[in-house]
Amino acid sequence: MFVADYNAADEEITNLLEQFCYHLAIVTSDLIAAYDPQMIFFNSPLIDAIPEILKNIQMKLSFIPLVPPLVMSKDVKTATLLGGASMAIHRVLHMEGTRLIFHH
Protein backbone atom coordinates (compact mmCIF):
# COMPACT_ATOMS: atom_id res chain seq x y z
CA MET A 1 0.00 0.00 0.00
CA PHE A 2 2.80 2.41 0.92
CA VAL A 3 4.53 1.95 -2.45
CA ALA A 4 1.24 2.39 -4.31
CA ASP A 5 0.61 5.65 -2.43
CA TYR A 6 4.14 6.81 -3.30
CA ASN A 7 3.61 5.95 -6.95
CA ALA A 8 0.33 7.87 -6.86
CA ALA A 9 2.35 10.93 -5.72
CA ASP A 10 0.61 11.16 -2.35
CA GLU A 11 2.08 14.34 -0.84
CA GLU A 12 2.10 13.03 2.73
CA ILE A 13 3.90 9.83 1.71
CA THR A 14 6.38 11.80 -0.43
CA ASN A 15 7.19 14.08 2.52
CA LEU A 16 7.55 11.11 4.84
CA LEU A 17 9.97 9.41 2.43
CA GLU A 18 11.96 12.63 2.09
CA GLN A 19 12.39 12.73 5.89
CA PHE A 20 13.32 9.04 5.86
CA CYS A 21 16.01 9.71 3.22
CA TYR A 22 17.35 12.67 5.19
CA HIS A 23 17.72 10.66 8.41
CA LEU A 24 19.13 7.62 6.62
CA ALA A 25 21.70 9.88 4.93
CA ILE A 26 22.75 11.16 8.37
CA VAL A 27 23.19 7.61 9.67
CA THR A 28 25.08 6.65 6.50
CA SER A 29 27.42 9.66 6.79
CA ASP A 30 28.13 8.71 10.41
CA LEU A 31 28.96 5.15 9.28
CA ILE A 32 31.30 6.49 6.61
CA ALA A 33 33.06 8.77 9.12
CA ALA A 34 33.38 6.07 11.78
CA TYR A 35 34.32 3.03 9.69
CA ASP A 36 35.57 4.28 6.30
CA PRO A 37 33.93 1.34 4.46
CA GLN A 38 34.78 0.42 0.88
CA MET A 39 31.11 -0.22 0.09
CA ILE A 40 27.77 0.13 1.88
CA PHE A 41 25.02 -2.43 1.29
CA PHE A 42 21.37 -1.66 1.93
CA ASN A 43 19.03 -4.54 2.60
CA SER A 44 15.53 -3.12 2.69
CA PRO A 45 12.33 -4.22 0.96
CA LEU A 46 11.19 -0.59 0.92
CA ILE A 47 14.34 0.67 -0.83
CA ASP A 48 14.17 -2.33 -3.16
CA ALA A 49 10.58 -1.38 -4.08
CA ILE A 50 11.40 2.33 -4.48
CA PRO A 51 14.97 2.61 -5.90
CA GLU A 52 14.70 6.41 -5.95
CA ILE A 53 15.31 6.30 -2.19
CA LEU A 54 18.90 5.14 -2.72
CA LYS A 55 19.47 7.87 -5.33
CA ASN A 56 18.04 10.45 -2.93
CA ILE A 57 20.42 9.31 -0.18
CA GLN A 58 23.37 9.51 -2.57
CA MET A 59 22.41 13.08 -3.46
CA LYS A 60 22.17 14.02 0.21
CA LEU A 61 25.69 12.64 0.76
CA SER A 62 27.22 14.74 -2.02
CA PHE A 63 28.85 17.02 0.59
CA ILE A 64 31.18 14.14 1.55
CA PRO A 65 34.28 14.08 -0.68
CA LEU A 66 34.72 10.29 -0.87
CA VAL A 67 31.44 8.42 -0.61
CA PRO A 68 31.81 4.66 -1.07
CA PRO A 69 29.39 2.98 -3.46
CA LEU A 70 25.91 2.55 -2.01
CA VAL A 71 24.37 -0.65 -3.36
CA MET A 72 21.29 -2.74 -2.77
CA SER A 73 21.59 -6.29 -1.57
CA LYS A 74 20.88 -8.74 -4.40
CA ASP A 75 18.49 -10.83 -2.35
CA VAL A 76 16.55 -8.60 0.02
CA LYS A 77 14.35 -11.40 1.30
CA THR A 78 17.04 -13.83 2.49
CA ALA A 79 20.26 -11.78 2.86
CA THR A 80 19.80 -11.25 6.60
CA LEU A 81 19.00 -14.93 7.15
CA LEU A 82 22.07 -16.02 5.18
CA GLY A 83 24.28 -13.57 7.09
CA GLY A 84 23.00 -14.91 10.40
CA ALA A 85 23.53 -18.49 9.24
CA SER A 86 27.07 -17.63 8.20
CA MET A 87 27.83 -16.14 11.63
CA ALA A 88 26.40 -19.18 13.41
CA ILE A 89 28.37 -21.62 11.23
CA HIS A 90 31.59 -19.67 11.73
CA ARG A 91 31.20 -19.66 15.52
CA VAL A 92 30.01 -23.23 15.97
CA LEU A 93 32.69 -24.71 13.70
CA HIS A 94 35.42 -22.25 14.84
CA MET A 95 35.94 -21.06 11.27
CA GLU A 96 36.23 -17.30 11.95
CA GLY A 97 38.96 -16.77 9.30
CA THR A 98 37.28 -18.86 6.59
CA ARG A 99 35.12 -17.33 3.89
CA LEU A 100 31.86 -19.17 3.26
CA ILE A 101 29.94 -18.74 0.04
CA PHE A 102 26.28 -19.72 0.10
CA HIS A 103 24.49 -20.81 -3.06
CA HIS A 104 20.72 -20.86 -2.93
Side-chain angles (χ1 to χ4, degrees):
M1 187 72 174
F2 189 83
V3 176
D5 291 337
Y6 172 78
N7 290 334
D10 182 300
E11 186 176 344
E12 189 174 336
I13 298 298
T14 304
N15 290 337
L16 185 62
L17 270 180
E18 185 61 31
Q19 290 176 16
F20 172 72
C21 291
Y22 172 76
H23 291 288
L24 195 52
I26 290 172
V27 170
T28 304
S29 70
D30 289 347
L31 285 171
I32 292 168
Y35 297 105
D36 191 28
Q38 294 181 3
M39 189 175 290
I40 297 176
F41 285 89
F42 288 85
N43 185 45
S44 163
L46 178 61
I47 298 173
D48 191 45
I50 306 174
E52 293 85 14
I53 293 173
L54 196 56
K55 294 174 189 169
N56 189 320
I57 294 167
Q58 287 173 323
M59 293 294 292
K60 288 182 181 357
L61 293 173
S62 62
F63 70 93
I64 299 175
L66 295 172
V67 177
L70 307 178
V71 295
M72 276 301 300
S73 173
K74 290 181 182 175
D75 190 356
V76 173
K77 294 181 180 177
T78 60
T80 304
L81 176 65
L82 292 175
S86 175
M87 273 187 65
I89 290 168
H90 278 96
R91 290 214 177 139
V92 169
L93 299 178
H94 305 288
M95 300 173 63
E96 282 79 11
T98 306
R99 183 173 180 212
L100 295 177
I101 299 173
F102 291 100
H103 299 281
H104 63 287

